[in-house]
């Protein structure tokens, strides 16, 4: 139990197709922990998402105040860990000051795409799946490549995203124990 110390804030980042699952499993396996999920929020951001991606995907163009507010509240609780399902890791200046440890799950883009399609399009028509694939080819891939260039190199721990969920969770847990000993 955390006795008077601030919780360790861990950001889990990756391209689409794995963050939420890993954070959920970590939330069940770590002691005295709470999690915040990026997709649970609606944020104000750039009006033109395509233009935002074409201009370098600057995370600071997003107003993440609702997430920051909830994070600050959790920091006041006697927790050991706070998990953030958070795509930007240290790259969003207003959230980076709260993050103690950033993990990047390095998932090949084809696997991330397959995971996302099987997750998001279970009951969709082939037409919807094809529209999404075309959108990915024209636009979405730009954002994923940007993450590989910006978020991955700025994370303390990089995990192989081709590993099983339990192997990813175990490797993150071991790294956290190692970090805590230092």
């Amino acid at each position: 139990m955390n006795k008077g110390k601030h919780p360790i804030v861990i950001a889990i980042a990756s391209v689409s197709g794995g963050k939420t699952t890993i954070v959920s499993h970590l939330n069940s396996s770590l002691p005295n922990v709470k999690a915040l999920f990026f997709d649970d929020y609606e944020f104000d951001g750039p009006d033109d998402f395509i233009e935002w991606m074409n201009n370098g995907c600057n995370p600071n163009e997003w107003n993440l105040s609702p997430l920051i507010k909830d994070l600050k509240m959790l920091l006041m609780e006697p927790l050991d860990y706070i998990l953030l399902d958070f795509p930007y890791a240290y790259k969003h200046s207003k959230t980076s000051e709260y993050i103690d440890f950033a993990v990047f799950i390095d998932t090949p883009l084809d696997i991330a795409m397959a995971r996302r399609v099987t997750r998001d399009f279970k009951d969709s028509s082939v037409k919807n799946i094809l529209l999404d694939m075309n959108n990915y080819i024209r636009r979405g891939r730009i954002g994923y490549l940007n993450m590989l260039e910006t978020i991955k190199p700025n994370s303390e721990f990089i995990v192989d995203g081709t590993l099983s969920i339990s192997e990813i969770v175990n490797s993150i847990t071991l790294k956290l124990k190692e970090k805590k000993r230092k």
Side-chain angles (χ1 to χ4, degrees):
M1 173 102 157
N2 187 333
K3 293 185 170 79
K5 296 180 184 177
H6 284 290
I8 296 171
V9 179
I10 306 154
I12 307 290
S14 76
V15 296
S16 184
K19 289 184 298 297
T20 301
T21 300
I22 297 304
V23 169
S24 295
H25 280 79
L26 281 167
N27 195 36
S28 297
S29 65
L30 289 172
N32 199 26
V33 62
K34 288 197 178 172
L36 296 173
F37 297 89
F38 188 79
D39 290 343
D40 287 348
Y41 296 88
E42 289 189 28
F43 299 113
D44 292 326
D47 291 329
D48 187 336
F49 193 72
I50 307 310
E51 183 180 325
W52 176 74
M53 286 193 307
N54 288 333
N55 289 332
C57 307
N58 180 0
N60 289 315
E61 293 182 40
W62 291 91
N63 177 359
L64 304 183
S65 296
L67 175 79
I68 294 168
K69 178 183 171 207
D70 288 350
L71 179 57
K72 285 180 179 179
M73 289 176 60
L74 287 180
L75 283 166
M76 303 305 287
E77 292 186 26
L79 298 168
D80 288 327
Y81 302 100
I82 299 171
L83 300 170
L84 294 179
D85 167 348
F86 188 63
Y88 303 131
Y90 292 118
K91 288 299 191 174
H92 187 274
S93 62
K94 291 184 179 176
T95 56
S96 66
E97 65 186 88
Y98 301 104
I99 297 171
D100 299 303
F101 189 67
V103 175
F104 186 82
I105 303 167
D106 191 12
T107 307
L109 297 185
D110 61 327
I111 293 174
M113 173 59 68
R115 287 177 181 164
R116 196 177 67 72
V117 168
T118 57
R119 176 193 70 204
D120 294 348
F121 294 95
K122 286 180 182 156
D123 300 319
S124 293
S125 68
V126 171
K127 181 180 178 182
N128 286 341
I129 294 169
L130 292 174
L131 286 170
D132 191 72
M133 293 295 103
N134 284 325
N135 182 53
Y136 171 79
I137 291 166
R138 283 193 332 265
R139 301 183 274 245
R141 190 168 189 275
I142 296 167
Y144 286 0
L145 291 173
N146 180 274
M147 286 189 80
L148 294 174
E149 294 171 8
T150 61
I151 307 303
K152 179 180 174 182
N154 288 291
S155 298
E156 282 100 349
F157 188 54
I158 298 169
V159 182
D160 180 354
T162 64
L163 297 173
S164 70
I165 292 167
S166 62
E167 290 172 312
I168 293 171
V169 169
N170 287 339
S171 63
I172 294 170
T173 302
L174 288 172
K175 192 67 169 177
L176 289 172
K177 286 179 182 175
E178 179 184 304
K179 180 176 174 50
K180 210 170 188 179
R181 277 186 254 131
K182 289 182 180 181

